[in-house]
Amino acid sequence: MRAMVLNAVREPLVLRDVPKPKPGRGQVLVRVKACAVCRTDLHILDGELPNPKLPLIPGHQIVGRVEQVVENGNGFSIGDRVGIPWLGWTDGDCAYCRSNRENLCDRGQFTGYIIDGGYAEFAVADARYCFPLPDDYEDAEVAPLLCAGMLGYRSYRKTGDAKRLGIYGFGNAAHLITQVALYEKKEVYAFTRPGDKSGQESARKLGAIWAGGSDQTPPAKLDAAIIFAPVGALVPAALKNLAKGGVVVCGGIHMSDIPSFPYVDLWQEREITSVANLTRLDGEEFLEIAPRVPLKIKVETFSLEEANAALEKFREGELAGNAVLKVSSS
Ligand SMILES: [Zn+2]
Ligand SMILES: [Zn+2]
């Protein structure tokens, strides 16, 4: 079995033969068909997230077929298509798990970070955290729904019934969540890098009522803003554009420092919050809504061996859609 392996942070992944993993109790062994690339993979590679498992096989948006089930596949059988997301394991027992906040579990383990992930021909997962996937999508298409989609959806749900929704950082998650927001009759205001005319154009094409640079002021006050770009300076910028009682949701796992800002910008019950990980319920809800929208997912595919190139294109913002590794397994 071959996998792209991270030996040390800030080093490129290397293709290695690794022993075929043995599934344990209640786990599934999955033959990987596709694994989408996420900004979080870059954060891990760059050493911006603490204590990754090393050596590590990255990748937490895995689509594959169940090859082997041990004891209890949690309803999955051999041959089933399965999605493996970022949330890989929780203890089910801490104060967070017992209050429906398993995304905050004290001992939570994450795919492609603490558990080996999907930049590989095979992956092992705890079946309780895997999702059946809607038939409407190809393997490569559905892969980005497992993080860009699900984490984006959790961010979106945190905006409640906000009518005017600002989205900062118009990448993969924004593309997906804009479609859900429009389906739910929201107005989307898209903020791109200043001067990114083509990004603004594509946001308008998707249905955004307004698109501009993150240095611009939208024509109306926003009820909520989601920040997908890992740029702390966008937090006070978004706050300034909020109506009273509005919320800024930081949707990323890592962000540069947030500059200070006057209290008056937060006053009038404005809020700043963040989104961490996902619960299984988020995933189930999102996979149910996706084909109803129906979500259109743009992908640019790479082979497993091209993982480093896919990551670099992601870093440079040169992708035409979600980067997905298509893994050809023999
Ligand atoms: Zn827990
Ligand atoms: Zn991710």
Side-chain angles (χ1 to χ4, degrees):
M1 169 208 154
R2 299 196 308 161
M4 293 299 280
V5 179
L6 179 70
N7 286 320
V9 296
R10 298 193 180 82
E11 281 181 14
L13 307 178
V14 290
L15 188 65
R16 265 226 306 236
D17 286 321
V18 291
K20 190 166 163 173
K22 303 236 180 322
R25 273 171 83 106
Q27 292 185 312
V28 282
L29 173 68
V30 172
R31 183 181 288 269
V32 179
K33 296 291 185 184
C35 184
V37 175
C38 176
R39 182 174 295 282
T40 300
D41 301 339
L42 277 178
H43 291 315
I44 294 168
L45 268 53
D46 292 346
E48 289 170 334
L49 301 188
N51 307 319
K53 167 191 180 295
L54 285 175
L56 171 72
I57 303 170
H60 56 270
Q61 308 184 80
I62 308 168
V63 176
R65 294 272 169 186
V66 175
E67 178 104 349
Q68 205 180 318
V69 164
V70 173
E71 283 189 23
N72 176 7
N74 195 41
F76 291 110
S77 309
I78 291 172
D80 285 353
R81 187 162 81 147
V82 63
I84 306 173
W86 170 248
L87 185 74
W89 184 86
T90 58
D91 60 12
D93 191 42
C94 70
Y96 298 104
C97 285
R98 282 187 275 111
S99 55
N100 299 318
R101 293 177 293 167
E102 64 182 0
N103 58 311
L104 301 178
C105 177
D106 278 332
R107 284 184 287 274
Q109 294 185 7
F110 304 99
T111 313
Y113 179 36
I114 307 297
I115 304 169
D116 277 326
Y119 287 22
E121 290 175 326
F122 289 92
V124 171
D126 186 318
R128 295 171 300 166
Y129 298 85
C130 297
F131 297 105
L133 298 170
D135 294 330
D136 314 59
Y137 300 105
E138 303 282 322
D139 294 335
E141 269 182 325
V142 77
L145 297 189
L146 290 158
C147 182
M150 289 178 183
L151 273 283
Y153 182 72
R154 186 172 177 84
S155 306
Y156 172 65
R157 278 287 163 251
K158 287 230 173 200
T159 66
D161 53 8
K163 170 94 176 133
R164 297 194 173 108
L165 176 66
I167 300 184
Y168 286 77
F170 221 77
N172 299 326
H175 262 264
L176 295 172
I177 289 326
T178 294
Q179 296 176 61
V180 178
L182 295 173
Y183 172 73
E184 296 192 336
K185 309 264 185 283
K186 311 287 180 86
E187 289 177 4
V188 172
Y189 296 74
F191 296 83
T192 67
R193 285 199 188 100
D196 178 4
K197 294 290 175 207
S198 76
Q200 291 159 21
E201 186 51 40
S202 90
R204 273 189 291 264
K205 252 195 209 145
L206 199 60
I209 192 168
W210 177 89
S214 56
D215 55 344
Q216 287 179 259
T217 306
K221 287 286 184 191
L222 307 171
D223 301 313
I226 303 174
I227 302 182
F228 287 123
V231 181
L234 293 175
V235 175
L239 207 50
K240 268 189 188 306
N241 292 327
L242 286 189
K244 289 185 274 189
V247 60
V248 173
V249 179
C250 303
I253 192 168
H254 176 82
M255 191 179 240
S256 56
D257 287 351
I258 301 170
S260 71
F261 54 87
Y263 175 64
V264 67
D265 289 349
L266 183 64
W267 194 59
Q268 300 286 16
E269 304 201 344
R270 293 177 179 92
E271 290 174 53
I272 301 173
T273 188
S274 66
V275 160
N277 315 315
L278 74 152
T279 66
R280 282 170 279 185
L281 189 62
D282 297 327
E284 284 162 20
E285 265 184 40
F286 178 67
L287 289 174
E288 192 272 320
I289 200 171
R292 277 198 283 127
V293 171
L295 276 186
K296 295 204 171 35
I297 306 144
K298 281 202 294 188
V299 299
E300 189 173 336
T301 58
F302 298 83
S303 68
L304 178 60
E305 292 78 4
E306 291 171 324
N308 288 307
L311 286 159
E312 278 320 299
K313 282 188 93 169
F314 196 126
R315 187 193 298 285
E316 300 304 324
E318 291 169 357
L319 292 162
N322 294 272
V324 178
L325 307 181
K326 277 184 107 169
V327 182
S328 48
S329 317
S330 51

